[in-house]
Amino acid sequence: EQSGPDAGFSSLFLNRWCILTPPDDADAGAVQRLRAFWEAMGAIVEVMTPQHHDLVLAITSHLPHLIAYNIVGTADVVFVDAPCTGSGTWRRRPEDAWRLKPEDVDRMHSLQTAILARAAKLVKPGGRLVYVTCSMLRVENEATVDAFEEDHPGFEPVAIIEALSSDAITDAGRARFGALAQGHRLRMSPASSDTDGFFAAVYERAR
């Protein structure tokens, strides 16, 4: 969220929903003037009773939370394709490197740590958690999973070569990834694999 004069612009409310919930004894003229005010700014206005508002918002806001709580600890695999700086693509987009600020990296690390912790809650005992970025930066990769491992002793590292024991992967592919891996962590780069930069780490929930 942003606030202050710098965050204001002429189309701020264009095609945005505005819900008015006047009480039963509200002046109809006042409600109409308020509706016209928001419509003049481009908003889509809906007028409803407070009771109907609570019913609608209970469905659209609370239901996703109920679903989330009910899938905690049930997933066989949770794949976290984490938001990152995208530094693994710099060989194709070198101009992005000049736009990156130190605070951007710190912000991403904090976000990744939080996302990984939340994702871990969805994994059932015996299930696996996979963390992936397209970053080359250690603070987004090793530092993030180091923090996760320290805070989540119930998740055990799974060697990349073990995680690749699937008929969907060829022997040559398994051998190639195994050569690039360091235990349960995998790094790929233009230098090592002639690809963009990627990082992955695999865990299994023991309890």
Side-chain angles (χ1 to χ4, degrees):
E1 296 184 3
Q2 298 179 349
S3 61
D6 292 340
F9 47 93
S10 61
S11 60
L12 181 62
F13 297 105
L14 183 62
N15 295 324
R16 302 281 186 171
W17 281 99
C18 174
I19 300 176
L20 304 180
T21 58
D24 294 337
D25 59 351
D27 179 79
V31 174
Q32 185 56 38
R33 288 192 296 273
L34 188 58
R35 178 172 193 151
F37 170 81
W38 283 106
E39 288 178 341
M41 291 191 289
I44 304 169
V45 181
E46 183 72 28
V47 180
M48 62 181 68
T49 66
Q51 295 79 11
H52 186 60
H53 167 273
D54 291 347
L55 176 63
V56 171
L57 269 293
I59 295 173
T60 60
S61 177
H62 304 322
L63 186 58
H65 293 284
L66 291 174
I67 295 172
Y69 280 121
N70 278 281
I71 64 174
V72 166
T74 64
D76 293 313
V77 178
V78 175
F79 187 92
V80 179
D81 185 3
C84 67
T85 59
S87 55
T89 67
W90 283 355
R91 71 166 180 171
R92 293 185 289 108
R93 301 178 56 177
E95 68 277 9
D96 288 352
W98 299 104
R99 300 190 182 107
L100 187 65
K101 301 175 182 178
E103 54 267 31
D104 295 333
V105 180
D106 294 337
R107 179 174 56 85
M108 281 297 175
H109 171 69
S110 297
L111 179 61
Q112 292 154 354
T113 302
I115 290 174
L116 195 51
R118 292 186 181 185
K121 296 178 180 180
L122 304 178
V123 183
K124 72 178 185 182
R128 290 185 175 179
L129 175 64
V130 183
Y131 175 77
V132 176
T133 74
C134 59
S135 173
M136 296 288 292
L137 305 180
R138 292 186 62 85
V139 69
E140 296 188 274
N141 298 329
E142 286 85 358
T144 296
V145 296
D146 283 345
F148 173 79
E149 291 171 15
E150 182 176 354
D151 293 339
H152 296 80
F155 280 79
E156 299 178 348
V158 176
I160 295 295
I161 195 69
E162 178 184 343
L164 294 174
S165 58
S166 167
D167 293 337
I169 300 175
T170 65
D171 292 339
R174 191 177 300 109
R176 179 60 173 154
F177 282 121
L180 294 169
Q182 292 184 338
H184 66 294
R185 302 178 182 184
L186 172 68
R187 257 190 177 276
M188 301 173 67
S189 71
S192 65
S193 55
D194 195 26
T195 65
D196 283 352
F198 294 100
F199 176 86
V202 184
Y203 302 91
E204 184 171 298
R205 183 178 177 184
R207 60 179 185 274

